[in-house]
Amino acid sequence: MNQPTQNPPAVRNPFGESITAPAGASANALAQREVAEIQGALLIAQRFPRNPVQAMDRILAACCRPSLAEHATYQYNRGGVEVTGASIRLAEEMARSWGNVLSGLSELSRSDGYSEVLAYAWDLETNFRDEKRFQVKHWRDTKNGGYKLTEERDIYETIANAGARRKRSCILAIIPEDVQEAALEQCEATLKAKVDVTPLRIKSLTDGFAEFGVSLAQLEARLGRRVDSITPAGVLQLRKIYTSLRDGLSTPEQWFPPLPPPAKKAAVKAKGKDDDPAPKP
């Protein structure tokens, strides 16, 4: 007759009575928490919808600040036509003031020197979401070539710079066009009222463009005048171009083509007295 199998004696856990979570439990808990946060945000957005009039007032009030207006617009060439639009700074401010908007960047995966990144913007009231998936190479180009990025901080900054343009595009996809146009007009009015042409401001502009390899001669060729005689309109134009270069929307070559080398002056041989024919006696 078979004897019943006896269980071996239990050994006391030296670490106490705590139970170790199975593999993947922390990831599942994190995912559930994120879902709960999103559901909570959607519920709050439905219970407290935005007031478009108040939201528009907040956006216009923000655009009256010179610190924002100076970096609110960019300019780039498209088919020979100069286009002006809202920068990532203005887009983020509009999303914040418009209300009930989620936006950001998420690194989905990383392998073989690339990161797969997701940029998104979500209007929680209308449940309209715009997102863009893209890859970022862990590489930095320089004038003398390029090199692979290995430091975590360098990789993070590269992802943030590449993602800023996609994030801006996603935010502008959910903000109404008339709201964007009013914000740009207010920023333009603020700059015209606050712009000052001082030696310190001129030096700041020239130093900023020098970081992109733009020389003083190229700036003056673009303006059609000496930099020390720049007009307020010229300052506004250069600010927009600088914002475009900083955000990676254009390249210096699109605005400042290389200047031709100075023409060599024809050497004129001066004739001295010895070269003149001797006077006849």
Side-chain angles (χ1 to χ4, degrees):
M1 182 174 180
N2 295 333
Q3 297 294 330
T5 303
Q6 295 182 354
N7 294 327
V11 179
R12 180 178 176 273
N13 187 342
F15 299 102
E17 301 299 330
S18 60
I19 300 176
T20 304
S26 58
N28 292 334
L30 181 60
Q32 292 176 2
R33 187 179 68 180
E34 292 179 353
V35 170
E37 290 177 353
I38 293 175
Q39 290 177 343
L42 288 168
L43 180 60
I44 293 175
Q46 296 301 321
R47 291 185 59 185
F48 303 99
R50 74 175 60 92
N51 184 322
V53 177
Q54 295 178 356
M56 189 73 251
D57 289 341
R58 288 195 296 266
I59 292 175
L60 294 178
C63 293
C64 290
R65 302 199 311 266
S67 58
L68 174 62
E70 288 179 359
H71 305 286
T73 56
Y74 66 87
Q75 193 171 6
Y76 66 93
N77 270 322
R78 178 187 291 171
V81 179
E82 295 185 358
V83 180
T84 301
S87 68
I88 179 60
R89 303 292 173 263
L90 180 56
E92 290 175 337
E93 181 60 36
M94 286 192 292
R96 186 187 69 82
S97 299
W98 190 242
N100 290 334
V101 173
L102 286 179
S103 63
L105 295 172
S106 296
E107 185 178 7
L108 303 179
S109 62
R110 181 184 299 185
S111 63
D112 298 330
Y114 287 86
S115 289
E116 185 179 0
V117 187
L118 172 69
Y120 64 91
W122 190 357
D123 189 330
L124 300 175
E125 287 191 25
T126 62
N127 202 25
F128 174 72
R129 177 184 174 97
D130 189 84
E131 65 180 31
K132 290 176 173 56
R133 294 174 181 261
F134 56 98
Q135 284 189 334
V136 178
K137 185 178 181 181
H138 302 164
W139 185 269
R140 178 169 293 167
D141 291 318
T142 64
K143 294 180 180 179
N144 299 324
Y147 60 92
K148 183 179 180 180
L149 301 178
T150 57
E151 296 292 334
E152 187 64 28
R153 180 177 178 179
D154 294 336
I155 295 175
Y156 167 79
E157 291 177 350
T158 301
I159 293 175
N161 291 336
R165 297 188 295 274
R166 280 83 171 186
K167 180 182 175 183
R168 178 189 65 85
S169 177
C170 292
I171 293 176
L172 297 183
I174 66 176
I175 301 294
E177 288 287 342
D178 54 345
V179 175
Q180 299 179 38
E181 293 174 359
L184 289 172
E185 291 178 3
Q186 182 59 62
C187 289
E188 191 77 15
T190 300
L191 289 176
K192 289 180 179 179
K194 298 294 183 180
V195 67
D196 53 344
V197 183
T198 62
L200 183 61
R201 176 71 66 181
I202 295 174
K203 185 178 185 304
S204 177
L205 281 174
T206 55
D207 290 346
F209 279 102
E211 297 176 359
F212 296 97
V214 179
S215 65
L216 180 62
Q218 288 175 299
L219 286 176
E220 293 179 342
R222 172 84 189 175
L223 295 171
R225 61 174 64 220
R226 292 178 56 85
V227 172
D228 53 11
S229 64
I230 190 174
T231 63
V235 173
L236 296 181
Q237 181 189 28
L238 290 183
R239 279 178 178 171
K240 294 177 183 178
I241 296 176
Y242 176 78
T243 302
S244 176
L245 297 178
R246 184 195 62 195
D247 293 346
L249 297 171
S250 61
T251 61
E253 292 75 16
Q254 293 178 290
W255 302 104
F256 308 98
L259 297 178
K264 295 182 179 180
K265 297 181 179 180
V268 178
K269 184 177 181 181
K271 294 182 179 181
K273 293 182 179 180
D274 297 339
D275 296 332
D276 295 333
K280 296 180 181 180

